[in-house]
Amino acid sequence: MKKVLIIEEDLNISEIFHLVLSDHFCVKILHNTNNAYGEIEKFRPDLLLLDHWLGKAKLAALINKLKNDNRFRKIPVIISSTDDTVTHVAEQLRADSCLPKPFDLDDLLNLVRKHLEQG
């Protein structure tokens, strides 16, 4: 079963992510970026879903570290945000895609599936 690691500060949104995705994937949720890289090393996710509001600098550092690590550079990274510039932010941070909030539940599942099928 494919693994999805979600880093989302909003408990309600993380619960929605879990409810939608856990029937199809093994899902783990973190609520901050503290020790995120260590969790990635242990969990070995096939996809990351990151909340933009965790902080652009923290996300940039995490994504750069992943993209420069041969073990993890091919893991798709999706950034979710209520910010209407999320597409631009995702491009700046070298994420593979973005998920604007609010989102349709089917769009969430389809986006995750699309990226996991490509990998």
Side-chain angles (χ1 to χ4, degrees):
M1 182 177 273
K2 297 279 187 172
K3 296 187 225 177
V4 176
L5 179 61
I6 299 165
I7 305 177
E8 169 65 54
E9 70 172 359
D10 185 310
L11 298 175
N12 294 321
I13 298 293
S14 65
E15 184 62 26
I16 291 169
F17 284 152
H18 187 267
L19 287 171
V20 172
L21 299 175
S22 64
D23 284 344
H24 308 277
F25 312 104
C26 178
V27 175
K28 182 170 188 162
I29 297 174
L30 302 175
H31 294 290
N32 58 56
T33 56
N34 297 344
N35 197 33
Y37 208 77
E39 289 297 322
I40 291 166
E41 289 179 314
K42 283 192 288 189
F43 187 61
R44 300 285 180 157
D46 298 294
L47 182 136
L48 288 170
L49 181 56
L50 307 175
D51 181 7
H52 171 232
W53 291 109
L54 292 167
K56 191 172 179 179
K58 287 182 181 180
L59 290 179
L62 178 61
I63 293 169
N64 281 332
K65 193 170 182 179
L66 286 170
K67 297 297 182 182
N68 291 315
D69 187 327
N70 287 333
R71 299 171 298 166
F72 306 124
R73 73 170 24 130
K74 294 190 183 211
I75 295 175
V77 176
I78 300 171
I79 295 179
S80 64
S81 180
T82 56
D83 191 326
D84 60 359
T85 65
V86 66
T87 302
H88 180 68
V89 169
E91 288 172 4
Q92 279 185 321
L93 297 179
R94 295 178 23 198
D96 297 281
S97 192
C98 63
L99 178 68
K101 295 176 188 173
F103 53 87
D104 180 85
L105 300 180
D106 288 332
D107 290 344
L108 166 63
L109 183 58
N110 290 335
L111 182 63
V112 170
R113 281 184 171 152
K114 174 185 136 190
H115 282 284
L116 288 173
E117 288 171 1
Q118 290 173 356

